[in-house]
Amino acid sequence: RGFSTVTAAAAAAGICALGSSLNFALGGSAPQTSRQPALRGVVQQEPSANTGFGSLVLGLASAGSLAAVASVSKGARARTAVKAEAGIMLKNGSKDETGHGPLQGWGGDDRLITAEKRKQFALGLYGGDTWESPQFDPLCLSDRYPEHVAWWREAELKHGRVAMLAYVGLIVPDLFRIPVPALEDPDIDFVNAHNKLIGPGLGEGYMWYLLIACGILESIRFKQMGLAFENLTVDNAGDLGIQLFKPQTAEGWASMKDKELKNGRLAMMAVSGALTGGVLWDQHHFPFTPGASI
């Protein structure tokens, strides 16, 4: 009822505003009045030509407000209907067409019930069963969409590895530069490195070498997984087949994978903080805080 009152008020305001701009919108002309001679030394002002335009803008703004309020009202009614349906499902103990209970994974008591009844967290993926990494899935996404869990782990490991390399790349250039003239430029930092190391022509600059290297790695990984990820599973997610430093024991291998995952998560947050702080405080060198650099 509250939304209906607001909607009616907005509609009235919109109609009034649009009515005031109707003359402009239809291209009508204002009634002509006889021009009185001006007194000597007094500048007579011409009627403003923007009056109609301002009225039209006011009308359009009012109409936009009306549409927004109507949308909010419609969304509120839809949410009320969904909650009512969920309440009926919860009372009857029924499930929806996907086989899930009411609002499963998106809030309410059913989310807690789902977490308590699950037999295995995230299809048994490592990294979520230790005291410092509890089973964190507040939206129960791994329960609702188990077919995407392997892809999520693949993306998490890949972003974590890139972030670990990226943070090394933020610090090392301040201490050591590869002996290549273009890379030894002291003015290069993480903000302007891309523009300084690419171009001016197509295929020119060291950034193209980086693109080719990344393309080769991604092509190898796509060959392993398949273009439709048909070969990707929770067991081989993130496994590039490179095991140069693989521990000899199963416990050591599990510990190594767990360390990589956690360090990758930390690196993603660290890189985000370094880049944001460096740009925010205009400090493009480690440690990326105001008035401090090495």
Short mmCIF file of all heavy atoms in Angstrom, two decimals, residues 116-152:
data_model
loop_
_atom_site.label_atom_id
_atom_site.label_comp_id
_atom_site.label_asym_id
_atom_site.label_seq_id
_atom_site.Cartn_x
_atom_site.Cartn_y
_atom_site.Cartn_z
N GLU A 116 24.33 -28.46 7.25
CA GLU A 116 24.42 -29.52 8.25
C GLU A 116 24.26 -30.90 7.62
O GLU A 116 24.87 -31.87 8.08
CB GLU A 116 23.34 -29.30 9.31
CG GLU A 116 23.57 -28.07 10.19
CD GLU A 116 22.42 -27.82 11.14
OE1 GLU A 116 21.42 -28.59 11.05
OE2 GLU A 116 22.51 -26.89 11.96
N LYS A 117 23.47 -30.99 6.56
CA LYS A 117 23.20 -32.29 5.96
C LYS A 117 24.21 -32.69 4.90
O LYS A 117 24.20 -33.83 4.46
CB LYS A 117 21.79 -32.28 5.35
CG LYS A 117 20.68 -32.26 6.38
CD LYS A 117 19.32 -32.38 5.70
CE LYS A 117 18.21 -32.45 6.73
NZ LYS A 117 16.87 -32.56 6.09
N ARG A 118 25.05 -31.76 4.45
CA ARG A 118 25.99 -32.11 3.39
C ARG A 118 26.96 -33.19 3.88
O ARG A 118 27.48 -33.13 5.00
CB ARG A 118 26.74 -30.88 2.90
CG ARG A 118 27.75 -30.31 3.84
CD ARG A 118 28.72 -29.37 3.12
NE ARG A 118 28.07 -28.24 2.50
CZ ARG A 118 28.13 -27.00 2.95
NH1 ARG A 118 28.80 -26.74 4.07
NH2 ARG A 118 27.54 -26.02 2.32
N LYS A 119 27.21 -34.15 3.04
CA LYS A 119 28.11 -35.24 3.38
C LYS A 119 29.56 -34.90 3.05
O LYS A 119 30.49 -35.46 3.63
CB LYS A 119 27.69 -36.50 2.63
CG LYS A 119 26.29 -37.00 2.98
CD LYS A 119 25.94 -38.23 2.18
CE LYS A 119 24.55 -38.73 2.54
NZ LYS A 119 24.17 -39.95 1.76
N GLN A 120 29.76 -33.99 2.10
CA GLN A 120 31.10 -33.64 1.64
C GLN A 120 31.10 -32.19 1.22
O GLN A 120 30.21 -31.74 0.48
CB GLN A 120 31.50 -34.55 0.48
CG GLN A 120 32.98 -34.57 0.18
CD GLN A 120 33.30 -35.56 -0.92
OE1 GLN A 120 32.58 -35.64 -1.91
NE2 GLN A 120 34.36 -36.34 -0.75
N PHE A 121 32.08 -31.43 1.66
CA PHE A 121 32.14 -30.01 1.33
C PHE A 121 32.83 -29.82 -0.01
O PHE A 121 33.95 -30.28 -0.22
CB PHE A 121 32.89 -29.24 2.41
CG PHE A 121 33.05 -27.78 2.10
CD1 PHE A 121 31.97 -26.92 2.11
CD2 PHE A 121 34.30 -27.26 1.77
CE1 PHE A 121 32.11 -25.58 1.82
CE2 PHE A 121 34.45 -25.92 1.48
CZ PHE A 121 33.35 -25.09 1.50
N ALA A 122 32.17 -29.13 -0.92
CA ALA A 122 32.74 -28.77 -2.22
C ALA A 122 33.32 -29.97 -2.95
O ALA A 122 34.42 -29.92 -3.51
CB ALA A 122 33.79 -27.68 -2.07
N LEU A 123 32.58 -31.08 -2.92
CA LEU A 123 32.98 -32.31 -3.60
C LEU A 123 34.33 -32.83 -3.13
O LEU A 123 35.03 -33.52 -3.87
CB LEU A 123 33.00 -32.10 -5.12
CG LEU A 123 31.69 -31.61 -5.75
CD1 LEU A 123 31.83 -31.51 -7.26
CD2 LEU A 123 30.54 -32.55 -5.39
N GLY A 124 34.70 -32.49 -1.91
CA GLY A 124 35.94 -33.00 -1.34
C GLY A 124 37.20 -32.25 -1.74
O GLY A 124 38.31 -32.76 -1.55
N LEU A 125 37.06 -31.04 -2.29
CA LEU A 125 38.24 -30.28 -2.67
C LEU A 125 39.08 -29.93 -1.45
O LEU A 125 38.55 -29.64 -0.37
CB LEU A 125 37.83 -28.98 -3.38
CG LEU A 125 37.38 -29.11 -4.84
CD1 LEU A 125 36.97 -27.76 -5.37
CD2 LEU A 125 38.50 -29.69 -5.70
N TYR A 126 40.40 -29.93 -1.62
CA TYR A 126 41.29 -29.56 -0.53
C TYR A 126 41.27 -28.05 -0.32
O TYR A 126 40.88 -27.29 -1.20
CB TYR A 126 42.72 -30.02 -0.83
CG TYR A 126 43.35 -29.38 -2.04
CD1 TYR A 126 44.09 -28.22 -1.94
CD2 TYR A 126 43.20 -29.95 -3.31
CE1 TYR A 126 44.67 -27.63 -3.05
CE2 TYR A 126 43.77 -29.36 -4.43
CZ TYR A 126 44.50 -28.20 -4.29
OH TYR A 126 45.07 -27.62 -5.39
N GLY A 127 41.67 -27.63 0.85
CA GLY A 127 41.75 -26.20 1.15
C GLY A 127 40.61 -25.66 1.95
O GLY A 127 40.59 -24.48 2.29
N GLY A 128 39.64 -26.51 2.29
CA GLY A 128 38.50 -26.02 3.05
C GLY A 128 38.17 -26.86 4.26
O GLY A 128 37.08 -26.77 4.80
N ASP A 129 39.13 -27.66 4.70
CA ASP A 129 38.86 -28.58 5.79
C ASP A 129 39.86 -28.46 6.94
O ASP A 129 40.03 -29.37 7.74
CB ASP A 129 38.88 -30.03 5.28
CG ASP A 129 40.15 -30.36 4.51
OD1 ASP A 129 40.99 -29.46 4.36
OD2 ASP A 129 40.29 -31.51 4.06
N THR A 130 40.55 -27.31 7.02
CA THR A 130 41.50 -27.10 8.10
C THR A 130 41.01 -25.97 8.97
O THR A 130 40.12 -25.20 8.60
CB THR A 130 42.90 -26.76 7.54
OG1 THR A 130 42.81 -25.62 6.68
CG2 THR A 130 43.46 -27.93 6.74
N TRP A 131 41.63 -25.82 10.14
CA TRP A 131 41.13 -24.83 11.10
C TRP A 131 41.29 -23.41 10.60
O TRP A 131 40.46 -22.55 10.89
CB TRP A 131 41.85 -24.99 12.44
CG TRP A 131 43.30 -24.63 12.40
CD1 TRP A 131 44.36 -25.45 12.12
CD2 TRP A 131 43.87 -23.34 12.64
NE1 TRP A 131 45.55 -24.78 12.15
CE2 TRP A 131 45.27 -23.46 12.49
CE3 TRP A 131 43.34 -22.09 12.98
CZ2 TRP A 131 46.14 -22.40 12.66
CZ3 TRP A 131 44.22 -21.03 13.14
CH2 TRP A 131 45.60 -21.19 12.98
N GLU A 132 42.34 -23.12 9.82
CA GLU A 132 42.50 -21.77 9.31
C GLU A 132 41.72 -21.53 8.03
O GLU A 132 41.58 -20.39 7.58
CB GLU A 132 43.99 -21.45 9.08
CG GLU A 132 44.64 -22.21 7.93
CD GLU A 132 45.22 -23.55 8.36
OE1 GLU A 132 44.79 -24.07 9.41
OE2 GLU A 132 46.10 -24.06 7.65
N SER A 133 41.21 -22.59 7.40
CA SER A 133 40.37 -22.46 6.21
C SER A 133 39.11 -23.28 6.42
O SER A 133 38.97 -24.38 5.89
CB SER A 133 41.13 -22.92 4.96
OG SER A 133 42.23 -22.09 4.69
N PRO A 134 38.17 -22.79 7.21
CA PRO A 134 36.95 -23.55 7.47
C PRO A 134 36.09 -23.66 6.22
O PRO A 134 36.38 -23.06 5.19
CB PRO A 134 36.25 -22.72 8.56
CG PRO A 134 36.75 -21.33 8.34
CD PRO A 134 38.17 -21.47 7.87
N GLN A 135 35.06 -24.42 6.31
CA GLN A 135 34.17 -24.63 5.16
C GLN A 135 33.37 -23.35 4.91
O GLN A 135 32.24 -23.20 5.38
CB GLN A 135 33.25 -25.81 5.44
CG GLN A 135 33.99 -27.12 5.58
CD GLN A 135 33.06 -28.30 5.79
OE1 GLN A 135 31.85 -28.15 5.83
NE2 GLN A 135 33.62 -29.49 5.92
N PHE A 136 33.97 -22.44 4.13
CA PHE A 136 33.37 -21.13 3.90
C PHE A 136 32.62 -21.16 2.58
O PHE A 136 33.21 -21.11 1.49
CB PHE A 136 34.45 -20.05 3.88
CG PHE A 136 33.91 -18.66 3.69
CD1 PHE A 136 33.31 -17.98 4.73
CD2 PHE A 136 33.99 -18.04 2.46
CE1 PHE A 136 32.80 -16.71 4.56
CE2 PHE A 136 33.49 -16.75 2.28
CZ PHE A 136 32.89 -16.09 3.33
N ASP A 137 31.34 -21.26 2.66
CA ASP A 137 30.46 -21.20 1.50
C ASP A 137 29.11 -20.70 1.96
O ASP A 137 28.13 -21.45 2.02
CB ASP A 137 30.34 -22.58 0.84
CG ASP A 137 29.60 -22.52 -0.48
OD1 ASP A 137 29.31 -21.40 -0.95
OD2 ASP A 137 29.29 -23.59 -1.05
N PRO A 138 29.02 -19.43 2.35
CA PRO A 138 27.79 -18.91 2.97
C PRO A 138 26.56 -18.99 2.08
O PRO A 138 25.44 -19.03 2.58
CB PRO A 138 28.15 -17.46 3.31
CG PRO A 138 29.28 -17.11 2.39
CD PRO A 138 30.05 -18.38 2.21
N LEU A 139 26.75 -19.00 0.77
CA LEU A 139 25.61 -19.09 -0.15
C LEU A 139 25.35 -20.51 -0.63
O LEU A 139 24.47 -20.73 -1.47
CB LEU A 139 25.84 -18.17 -1.36
CG LEU A 139 25.93 -16.69 -1.06
CD1 LEU A 139 26.14 -15.89 -2.34
CD2 LEU A 139 24.69 -16.19 -0.34
N CYS A 140 26.13 -21.47 -0.12
CA CYS A 140 25.96 -22.88 -0.51
C CYS A 140 26.04 -23.05 -2.02
O CYS A 140 25.30 -23.84 -2.63
CB CYS A 140 24.64 -23.43 0.01
SG CYS A 140 24.52 -23.48 1.81
N LEU A 141 26.96 -22.32 -2.65
CA LEU A 141 27.09 -22.41 -4.11
C LEU A 141 27.58 -23.79 -4.53
O LEU A 141 27.18 -24.31 -5.58
CB LEU A 141 28.06 -21.34 -4.60
CG LEU A 141 27.62 -19.90 -4.41
CD1 LEU A 141 28.70 -18.94 -4.90
CD2 LEU A 141 26.31 -19.62 -5.14
N SER A 142 28.47 -24.39 -3.74
CA SER A 142 28.97 -25.71 -4.10
C SER A 142 27.89 -26.77 -4.00
O SER A 142 27.97 -27.82 -4.65
CB SER A 142 30.15 -26.09 -3.19
OG SER A 142 29.76 -26.12 -1.82
N ASP A 143 26.87 -26.53 -3.18
CA ASP A 143 25.75 -27.47 -3.07
C ASP A 143 24.74 -27.25 -4.19
O ASP A 143 24.15 -28.21 -4.70
CB ASP A 143 25.05 -27.30 -1.72
CG ASP A 143 25.98 -27.60 -0.56
OD1 ASP A 143 26.35 -28.77 -0.39
OD2 ASP A 143 26.34 -26.66 0.17
N ARG A 144 24.53 -26.00 -4.56
CA ARG A 144 23.53 -25.69 -5.59
C ARG A 144 24.07 -25.95 -7.00
O ARG A 144 23.33 -26.36 -7.89
CB ARG A 144 23.09 -24.23 -5.48
CG ARG A 144 22.28 -23.92 -4.23
CD ARG A 144 21.85 -22.46 -4.22
NE ARG A 144 20.98 -22.15 -5.33
CZ ARG A 144 19.66 -22.32 -5.34
NH1 ARG A 144 19.07 -22.82 -4.29
NH2 ARG A 144 18.94 -21.99 -6.39
N TYR A 145 25.34 -25.70 -7.22
CA TYR A 145 25.91 -25.83 -8.56
C TYR A 145 27.17 -26.69 -8.52
O TYR A 145 28.28 -26.21 -8.82
CB TYR A 145 26.23 -24.45 -9.14
CG TYR A 145 25.08 -23.49 -9.08
CD1 TYR A 145 25.05 -22.46 -8.14
CD2 TYR A 145 24.00 -23.61 -9.96
CE1 TYR A 145 23.98 -21.58 -8.09
CE2 TYR A 145 22.93 -22.73 -9.91
CZ TYR A 145 22.93 -21.72 -8.97
OH TYR A 145 21.87 -20.85 -8.91
N PRO A 146 27.08 -27.94 -8.15
CA PRO A 146 28.28 -28.79 -8.06
C PRO A 146 28.98 -28.98 -9.40
O PRO A 146 30.17 -29.27 -9.44
CB PRO A 146 27.72 -30.11 -7.52
CG PRO A 146 26.27 -30.11 -7.90
CD PRO A 146 25.84 -28.67 -7.83
N GLU A 147 28.25 -28.79 -10.50
CA GLU A 147 28.88 -28.98 -11.81
C GLU A 147 29.89 -27.88 -12.12
O GLU A 147 30.71 -28.05 -13.05
CB GLU A 147 27.81 -29.01 -12.91
CG GLU A 147 27.06 -27.71 -13.13
CD GLU A 147 25.88 -27.52 -12.19
OE1 GLU A 147 25.79 -28.27 -11.20
OE2 GLU A 147 25.06 -26.60 -12.43
N HIS A 148 29.87 -26.77 -11.38
CA HIS A 148 30.80 -25.68 -11.63
C HIS A 148 31.98 -25.66 -10.65
O HIS A 148 32.86 -24.81 -10.78
CB HIS A 148 30.08 -24.33 -11.54
CG HIS A 148 28.99 -24.16 -12.55
ND1 HIS A 148 29.13 -24.51 -13.87
CD2 HIS A 148 27.72 -23.69 -12.42
CE1 HIS A 148 28.01 -24.24 -14.53
NE2 HIS A 148 27.14 -23.76 -13.68
N VAL A 149 32.00 -26.57 -9.68
CA VAL A 149 33.04 -26.52 -8.64
C VAL A 149 34.43 -26.70 -9.24
O VAL A 149 35.38 -26.00 -8.86
CB VAL A 149 32.75 -27.59 -7.57
CG1 VAL A 149 33.93 -27.73 -6.61
CG2 VAL A 149 31.49 -27.24 -6.79
N ALA A 150 34.58 -27.62 -10.16
CA ALA A 150 35.91 -27.85 -10.77
C ALA A 150 36.39 -26.61 -11.51
O ALA A 150 37.57 -26.24 -11.44
CB ALA A 150 35.83 -29.04 -11.72
N TRP A 151 35.48 -25.95 -12.23
CA TRP A 151 35.86 -24.73 -12.96
C TRP A 151 36.24 -23.62 -11.99
O TRP A 151 37.18 -22.86 -12.24
CB TRP A 151 34.69 -24.28 -13.85
CG TRP A 151 35.05 -23.16 -14.78
CD1 TRP A 151 35.57 -23.27 -16.03
CD2 TRP A 151 34.91 -21.76 -14.52
NE1 TRP A 151 35.76 -22.02 -16.58
CE2 TRP A 151 35.36 -21.07 -15.67
CE3 TRP A 151 34.44 -21.02 -13.44
CZ2 TRP A 151 35.36 -19.70 -15.75
CZ3 TRP A 151 34.45 -19.65 -13.53
CH2 TRP A 151 34.90 -18.99 -14.67
N TRP A 152 35.52 -23.51 -10.88
CA TRP A 152 35.85 -22.49 -9.88
C TRP A 152 37.23 -22.73 -9.30
O TRP A 152 38.00 -21.79 -9.10
CB TRP A 152 34.79 -22.48 -8.78
CG TRP A 152 33.47 -21.94 -9.22
CD1 TRP A 152 33.24 -21.09 -10.26
CD2 TRP A 152 32.19 -22.25 -8.66
NE1 TRP A 152 31.90 -20.82 -10.38
CE2 TRP A 152 31.22 -21.51 -9.42
CE3 TRP A 152 31.76 -23.04 -7.61
CZ2 TRP A 152 29.87 -21.56 -9.13
CZ3 TRP A 152 30.40 -23.09 -7.33
CH2 TRP A 152 29.47 -22.36 -8.08
#
